[in-house]
Amino acid sequence: MIFAGGPITPIPAHGMLVFLTQLLVLLVSARVLGGAASRLGMPNIVGELLAGVLLGPSVLAHLAPGISHWLFPPQVEQQHLIDAVGQLGVLLLVGLAGMQLDLNQFRQRLPRAAKVSLAGLIVPLAIGVGIGYLAPTPLRPENTTPAVFAMFMGIAICVSAIPVIAKTLMELKLTHRDVGQLILTAGMFDDAVGWFLLSLVSAMATHGLRTATVLSSLGYLLGVVAFAVVIGRPLVRRVMRRVDGDGERAKVIPAVVILLFAAAAATQAMGLEAIFGAFLCGVLIGSSGVRLTALAPLNNVVMSVLAPIFFATAGLRMDLSALLTVPLLLAALGVVTMAVVGKFLGAYIGGASSGLSRRESIALGAGMNARGVIEVIIAMAGLRLGVLGTEAYTILILVAVVTSLMAPPILRWAMAGSEITSEEARRAQRTLALAHDESDSPPLPQREAG
């Protein structure tokens, strides 16, 4: 292999063997444990993260250090190979999630959902920032300023996870209920604000906490959004209609992947997060009128192969043994508790102020509390940027798992026995009719893990 700078040494044979073995072990473990978690009524993500935990410094490094050292050597170059696969998976995963955002429904429910979402964002954001400032020294890397660490913790605590919420509502048959619709819409608002804030804090972490940096980052963000609305949306619509009009999946999928990578590269070049560009581009693709069924093969590969590898890699970076000291264990319990209480309280206040009943507000708090995929992605971004240390990263992954497990039973209890309104009944009938009419054209598969 020869580039402008001269010949490039290919990956050594042993390095390639280790890389392929890593992919094999991570994927098999994630699929097996993810399937086991699903059979036990838990999100797949729990089993996929557990696969990484078992293979990482928490377990395998203690039980079989020789095998652990061979399988996951400390060389940076070797780690970058598996990280690249994970980043590829997360960009496509976030893009597919953005395609599920229904802009028409989003606009219709935006006023009420915004009230719920803002309360569900502000309260946990304030709590998360407070946690960041009060966190003991081991949780914050020495090269991270307290302000950046606190803001990052605030963002990590205040987000919700649409994939987890959607799957939970579908399983409990609550998607047609008013509360279910409100949870989904408010969760979409949370996602959009979360990516926005993550990009801003990531730029601050990269370039420093300076007024000029904040203003330039904010300017870039506003510029990206303006470009997406004015130029990006019609451009994406034209491209997707051109390739989708031929009715060939072989053209649609490459076009989607190219658009997602181009958007991710553009925001990365601006010092923003690549996942923000992928998410925004996914929203544009989803609103372009493209048949999402044409993307089913891509969705299947991402959800069944790339996403499990990414989440197993995320679990691989957890070190539960780092939390065995009493101060850090107490800090972990405190962060998890405050994360649950903050998000639940904020969403409950938003629901109560919007006229929902006590049980409906509890259901709203339970649904908005699930963080799952989004929390893991944000935690991985923090670890990659050097904002989070291993201890803080491990705690945030625990928050993702605990909140995802809590949502289904609380939702089931809160909505038990509640009366179905005539509008909800009509909505359910329309959903059934739509599913029947399109039985020959199944919808884009959803990630079972959330």
Side-chain angles (χ1 to χ4, degrees):
M1 185 181 300
I2 300 178
F3 288 96
I8 303 297
T9 304
I11 301 174
H14 177 72
M16 178 59 73
L17 173 62
V18 172
F19 172 60
L20 294 175
T21 306
Q22 287 175 335
L23 291 177
L24 173 65
V25 172
L26 287 172
L27 181 57
V28 171
S29 302
R31 293 288 297 175
V32 170
L33 293 179
S38 181
R39 287 190 292 273
L40 294 174
M42 297 183 291
N44 277 3
I45 186 177
V46 175
E48 292 164 357
L49 288 169
L50 179 60
V53 172
L54 295 177
L55 293 170
S58 298
V59 179
L60 185 62
H62 293 284
L63 297 181
I67 296 177
S68 176
H69 188 272
W70 186 91
L71 185 59
F72 300 106
Q75 286 82 6
V76 175
E77 296 81 3
Q78 196 72 48
Q79 295 174 4
H80 284 172
L81 288 175
I82 199 70
D83 282 343
V85 177
Q87 289 301 312
L88 173 67
V90 76
L91 289 176
L92 294 175
L93 176 64
V94 169
L96 289 169
M99 294 176 206
Q100 307 305 308
L101 180 61
D102 188 337
L103 289 181
N104 293 327
Q105 293 295 321
F106 185 80
R107 293 192 198 98
Q108 292 175 11
R109 300 190 180 94
L110 184 58
R112 194 178 192 185
K115 182 186 293 186
V116 172
S117 181
L118 286 175
L121 282 169
I122 293 173
V123 174
L125 179 64
I127 290 176
V129 170
I131 289 174
Y133 276 112
L134 298 175
T137 303
L139 293 183
R140 178 174 60 84
E142 294 182 358
N143 59 341
T144 302
T145 63
V148 171
F149 179 76
M151 292 179 66
F152 199 94
M153 289 295 292
I155 294 169
I157 295 298
C158 77
V159 296
S160 295
I162 280 294
V164 174
I165 295 170
K167 168 144 190 310
T168 301
L169 292 174
M170 285 189 291
E171 285 186 345
L172 300 179
K173 295 179 173 60
L174 294 175
T175 51
H176 64 284
R177 303 296 298 272
D178 289 339
V179 171
Q181 296 280 308
L182 186 58
I183 290 173
L184 285 173
T185 308
M188 292 174 185
F189 190 86
D190 274 16
D191 272 3
V193 174
W195 293 130
F196 185 90
L197 293 175
L198 177 62
S199 292
L200 182 60
V201 175
S202 298
M204 292 165 57
T206 304
H207 304 294
L209 183 59
R210 299 188 301 270
T211 302
T213 299
V214 174
L215 292 177
S216 63
S217 299
L218 185 59
Y220 277 134
L221 284 170
L222 295 177
V224 168
V225 174
F227 178 87
V229 173
V230 177
I231 300 176
R233 191 176 185 186
L235 178 62
V236 169
R237 183 184 291 114
R238 177 175 297 182
V239 170
M240 295 314 302
R241 286 182 178 176
R242 177 78 175 265
V243 298
D244 195 31
D246 297 336
E248 296 183 21
R249 290 181 175 178
K251 293 183 178 180
V252 175
I253 292 178
V256 167
V257 174
I258 289 171
L259 288 172
L260 291 176
F261 285 173
T267 52
Q268 182 71 35
M270 296 177 189
L272 308 176
E273 271 297 305
I275 50 181
F276 177 69
F279 177 77
L280 192 58
C281 185
V283 174
L284 297 180
I285 293 172
S287 64
S288 68
V290 64
R291 296 173 298 111
L292 292 184
T293 52
L295 297 176
L298 174 64
N299 187 78
N300 289 335
V301 171
V302 173
M303 301 308 179
S304 62
V305 179
L306 296 177
I309 290 176
F310 168 74
F311 291 117
T313 304
L316 197 66
R317 282 158 172 74
M318 291 181 67
D319 187 2
L320 296 177
S321 62
L323 304 179
L324 293 181
T325 62
V326 174
L328 287 177
L329 183 59
L330 292 176
L333 293 175
V335 171
V336 172
T337 301
M338 294 304 293
V340 171
V341 172
K343 190 68 177 180
F344 190 94
L345 180 61
Y348 182 92
I349 292 173
S353 64
S354 299
L356 299 184
S357 67
R358 183 177 66 87
R359 284 212 169 198
E360 287 175 330
S361 297
I362 292 175
L364 189 64
M368 297 293 291
N369 206 17
R371 291 171 174 88
V373 174
I374 307 302
E375 183 84 337
V376 174
I377 292 173
I378 288 178
M380 285 286 284
L383 192 66
R384 178 174 55 80
L385 290 168
V387 177
L388 301 179
T390 302
E391 296 84 359
Y393 169 81
T394 301
I395 291 173
L396 290 182
I397 298 298
L398 288 177
V399 170
V401 173
V402 170
T403 55
S404 298
L405 290 175
M406 287 176 58
I410 298 177
L411 270 170
R412 190 179 291 111
W413 171 83
M415 298 302 294
S418 61
E419 296 183 2
I420 299 177
T421 66
S422 58
E423 175 59 30
E424 289 174 337
R426 284 194 296 269
R427 194 181 296 139
Q429 290 175 355
R430 287 197 301 270
T431 301
L432 290 174
L434 181 64
H436 177 74
D437 291 342
E438 296 187 354
S439 58
D440 292 334
S441 181
L444 183 68
Q446 300 295 314
R447 176 172 172 75
E448 296 181 356

